[in-house]
Amino acid sequence: MQAVFTKNGSETPEPVKAKVSGAIPDWLQGTLVRNGPGLFNIGDTAYNHWFDGMALLHNFTFKDGDVYYRSKFLQSETFKRNTGANRIVVSEFGTMVYPDPCKNIFSKAFTYFSNAIPDFTDNNLVNIIRYGEDYYAASEVNYINKIDPHTLETVGRTNYRNHIALNLATAHPHYDEEGNTYNMGTAIIGFGRPKYMIFKVPADASDEDKKKPAMSKVEKVCSIPFRSSLYPSYFHSFGMTENYIVFVEQAFKLDIFKLATAYFRGVNWGSCLKYDKDDMTYFNLINRKTGKAVSTKFYGDPFVVFHHINAFEEDGHVVFDLITYKDSNLYDMFYIENMRQDTDKFVENNKIFSPPVCQRFVLPITVDKDTPVGTNLVTLKDTSAKAVIEKDGSVFCSPDTLFVGLELPQINYKFNTKKYRYFYGSRVEWSPHPNKIAKVDIVTRTHQEWRDEECYPSEPVFVASPDAVEEDDGVLLSSVVSLNPAKSPFMLVLNAKTMEEIARASVDASIHMDLHGYFIPQKDSN
């Protein structure tokens, strides 16, 4: 495991031409930009958690049947400070850093004070976000770093808080057909009453003179008050239909008091997240146009969710698909000490890990208060999901299980907010580490797989064929690394309809395991 996941990555700053076997479709023209942790040791210091590693960007450019690869570390302020000091000096999710013991008492006191209300790292290692025509490396903090997606140069840093009242924001926005970007964040401290916030950045937000960030044109869609001021729900993503935002207020929570005192108590920020197995899950439906929430109280059993798959409306219902866990142990498994076990030991120690379960929930948009108690309000014929009316008028929702053992879900994004049939992702069976790519057919409840011995594929990204009519007419792109040092890393191109390999582009360079990415078609990248 260590060789693939936790070794320090290295840069390939100039494009390297890959060796292609098979044939890249001639219509596939553009750049896939990916992001993930790539530096885990600096000087004599090391991170405790895989999600702490310094962001290493990489891209694959598809041009006339050829593939070119390059990678660069994100030049965040955190990266500059750490490498300048040749040690870790900025705290991360799972690694809390303390002042040099040689500092004087006044300097120490100031450091403690400034960490009481965290101004988080800008090590944006999770995803690539488009705002307007600008691209940003993003995580879940108040900073994002603008990048050039083709050269991977870091252009400059933006603080959400300069434009909208947020302490945290997701790295999984939604894009509508006009090119507007919708995202969600949390206002915890310093912005009045704590709340969740939905915001929109218009498609034309980019400044032609490059003087103002796209965020300067941000528009607030709505805010949702915390159910509990001291224990807001953690969220990694959200759902969106044509008319609604779907926010799952889960029992996996951020303890605000622990967050504010973590530095004093000598614990990391990751320990401030707690799963309350005795709580419930609440489903919030917010009208995208009016910003008003649907008044019905929808709730269900507790679970942990990181990724939404898709959401849509059908016959007076909002349907949304999630990947759920029965506990929050997934984060714990990504502590470096756990990942550095050899494969057999890691598998043995993680046999009881909660598998990801793809589940469908269905909410009736309007609820007649005169409906008899116990009535299932879901009238759709192709799902076993239920929404049962309770005595107090609230609605208890139970899901339909679509599939077990898939993470990092992707769809043909042209079907985002629409009824769809297929989703793709990293197949997770014997451990949290993906060793296959799967395609799930929701209608037939069957799946297809791609795998190769000793290989670990990244999240597959769907790219539709030009003028495609069928939902699965296109290719899947996945960056693949191997446990076998004799096996070069490669970009895999699969036929998304058959899951058969069309081509692979082997790269004579170091490639790291990553998290998420974004494909930019050539017409958008001139």
Side-chain angles (χ1 to χ4, degrees), residues 459-478:
E459 157 202 74
V461 173
F462 182 96
V463 183
S465 303
D467 307 316
V469 175
E470 293 179 296
E471 183 185 335
D472 58 352
D473 184 358
V475 297
L476 294 178
L477 305 179
S478 177

Side-chain angles (χ1 to χ4, degrees), residues 36-196:
L39 189 65
F40 303 96
N41 300 80
I42 302 172
D44 295 329
T45 57
Y47 288 112
N48 297 328
H49 201 280
W50 194 65
F51 295 160
D52 296 344
M54 292 287 92
L56 181 52
L57 306 169
H58 58 161
N59 66 15
F60 297 85
T61 297
F62 299 83
K63 186 174 175 59
D64 301 329
D66 291 322
V67 181
Y68 300 86
Y69 174 80
R70 76 163 90 202
S71 65
K72 290 180 185 176
F73 284 107
L74 180 71
Q75 296 295 307
S76 63
E77 290 303 310
T78 297
F79 179 85
K80 292 174 187 174
R81 287 179 62 192
N82 286 341
T83 53
N86 196 33
R87 64 185 178 91
I88 299 167
V89 295
V90 180
S91 296
E92 298 289 342
F93 170 82
T95 308
M96 193 64 85
V97 179
Y98 291 89
D100 189 314
C102 299
K103 280 191 175 184
N104 66 45
I105 188 68
F106 297 106
S107 177
K108 279 187 181 181
F110 177 76
T111 305
Y112 275 90
F113 175 75
S114 64
N115 277 277
I117 299 187
D119 192 20
F120 295 103
T121 169
D122 69 338
N123 176 34
N124 302 128
L125 76 158
V126 176
N127 203 359
I128 306 297
I129 292 180
R130 178 180 60 73
Y131 285 129
E133 295 174 6
D134 300 337
Y135 294 88
Y136 295 85
S139 48
E140 297 185 333
V141 296
N142 55 297
Y143 293 113
I144 49 177
N145 273 286
K146 185 179 176 183
I147 63 164
D148 181 320
H150 309 293
T151 66
L152 300 181
E153 291 296 316
T154 305
V155 179
R157 186 169 81 162
T158 295
N159 188 344
Y160 278 118
R161 295 205 309 236
N162 292 339
H163 307 285
I164 189 168
L166 291 177
N167 299 98
L168 306 165
T170 89
H172 286 288
H174 284 278
Y175 308 97
D176 66 16
E177 291 177 337
E178 286 76 48
N180 303 305
T181 305
Y182 289 81
N183 207 349
M184 182 168 179
T186 309
I188 307 173
I189 299 167
F191 299 117
R193 187 179 175 189
K195 52 192 169 291
Y196 310 106

Side-chain angles (χ1 to χ4, degrees), residues 203-378:
D204 62 357
S206 294
D207 178 12
E208 289 184 11
D209 298 328
K210 311 290 185 190
K211 291 180 180 177
K212 291 182 179 179
M215 281 300 297
S216 62
K217 292 188 180 178
V218 66
E219 302 168 10
K220 175 183 166 183
V221 175
C222 73
S223 62
I224 307 162
F226 287 1
R227 195 171 297 277
S228 167
S229 294
L230 291 178
Y231 301 97
S233 167
Y234 169 78
F235 56 95
H236 185 77
S237 61
F238 62 101
M240 189 169 86
T241 71
E242 185 181 349
N243 295 294
Y244 294 94
I245 299 289
V246 181
F247 168 46
V248 177
E249 205 168 352
Q250 60 177 323
F252 190 36
K253 303 173 185 178
L254 182 61
D255 186 321
I256 298 297
F257 179 76
K258 282 190 173 180
L259 181 74
T261 60
Y263 193 80
F264 303 108
R265 293 181 297 109
V267 299
N268 62 41
W269 290 323
S271 69
C272 303
L273 287 167
K274 292 295 179 188
Y275 176 57
D276 183 356
K277 62 180 176 36
D278 298 318
D279 197 10
M280 305 300 292
T281 303
Y282 296 92
F283 305 105
N284 297 272
L285 277 188
I286 301 100
N287 188 301
R288 268 172 65 187
K289 314 293 191 293
T290 66
K292 290 189 166 55
V294 172
S295 60
T296 305
K297 175 185 166 187
F298 298 104
Y299 73 108
D301 289 327
F303 56 75
V304 172
V305 56
F306 301 104
H307 295 117
H308 285 242
I309 304 172
N310 196 12
F312 58 92
E313 295 161 46
E314 183 179 17
D315 295 339
H317 304 77
V318 165
V319 181
F320 58 97
D321 299 338
L322 311 168
I323 294 181
T324 69
Y325 294 83
K326 66 180 181 184
D327 56 42
S328 58
N329 293 343
L330 185 69
Y331 266 151
D332 295 337
M333 276 181 280
F334 283 93
Y335 277 97
I336 300 290
E337 63 180 1
N338 294 331
M339 298 182 72
R340 284 187 168 156
Q341 302 170 91
D342 63 54
T343 303
D344 291 341
K345 187 177 179 185
F346 186 90
V347 172
E348 182 64 30
N349 289 345
N350 290 293
K351 273 184 174 175
I352 59 168
F353 101 98
S354 166
V357 181
C358 306
Q359 295 190 314
R360 169 162 290 184
F361 288 87
V362 181
L363 310 183
I365 296 171
T366 55
V367 176
D368 184 347
K369 298 298 182 187
D370 296 327
T371 304
V373 171
T375 302
N376 176 22
L377 301 173
V378 177

Side-chain angles (χ1 to χ4, degrees), residues 485-498:
K487 207 167 196 171
S488 296
F490 58 94
M491 168 53 55
L492 173 68
V493 185
L494 294 179
N495 180 328
K497 193 178 286 290
T498 64

Side-chain angles (χ1 to χ4, degrees), residues 325-508:
Y325 294 83
K326 66 180 181 184
D327 56 42
S328 58
N329 293 343
L330 185 69
Y331 266 151
D332 295 337
M333 276 181 280
F334 283 93
Y335 277 97
I336 300 290
E337 63 180 1
N338 294 331
M339 298 182 72
R340 284 187 168 156
Q341 302 170 91
D342 63 54
T343 303
D344 291 341
K345 187 177 179 185
F346 186 90
V347 172
E348 182 64 30
N349 289 345
N350 290 293
K351 273 184 174 175
I352 59 168
F353 101 98
S354 166
V357 181
C358 306
Q359 295 190 314
R360 169 162 290 184
F361 288 87
V362 181
L363 310 183
I365 296 171
T366 55
V367 176
D368 184 347
K369 298 298 182 187
D370 296 327
T371 304
V373 171
T375 302
N376 176 22
L377 301 173
V378 177
T379 57
L380 303 180
K381 303 299 183 191
D382 58 356
T383 181
S384 61
K386 294 180 179 178
V388 176
I389 194 158
E390 307 275 285
K391 281 183 182 177
D392 61 358
S394 63
V395 175
F396 183 83
C397 305
S398 53
D400 176 5
T401 296
L402 302 178
F403 190 72
V404 177
L406 181 142
E407 250 295 3
L408 305 177
Q410 289 281 311
I411 61 170
N412 177 347
Y413 204 76
K414 291 178 180 176
F415 285 78
N416 192 51
T417 76
K418 300 178 177 67
K419 186 168 185 179
Y420 73 120
R421 178 169 179 172
Y422 305 107
F423 62 92
Y424 310 86
S426 299
R427 185 83 166 97
V428 180
E429 291 178 293
W430 44 268
S431 85
H433 301 319
N435 65 327
K436 301 175 184 176
I437 296 171
K439 172 188 181 181
V440 179
D441 183 330
I442 298 169
V443 173
T444 63
R445 303 297 172 102
T446 58
H447 77 285
Q448 298 166 270
E449 292 180 344
W450 174 91
R451 68 166 299 177
D452 197 352
E453 289 298 321
E454 305 175 299
C455 285
Y456 292 90
S458 72
E459 157 202 74
V461 173
F462 182 96
V463 183
S465 303
D467 307 316
V469 175
E470 293 179 296
E471 183 185 335
D472 58 352
D473 184 358
V475 297
L476 294 178
L477 305 179
S478 177
S479 169
V480 182
V481 298
S482 177
L483 282 173
N484 185 342
K487 207 167 196 171
S488 296
F490 58 94
M491 168 53 55
L492 173 68
V493 185
L494 294 179
N495 180 328
K497 193 178 286 290
T498 64
M499 294 298 285
E500 293 172 346
E501 184 173 326
I502 297 172
R504 67 172 63 184
S506 298
V507 180
D508 186 16

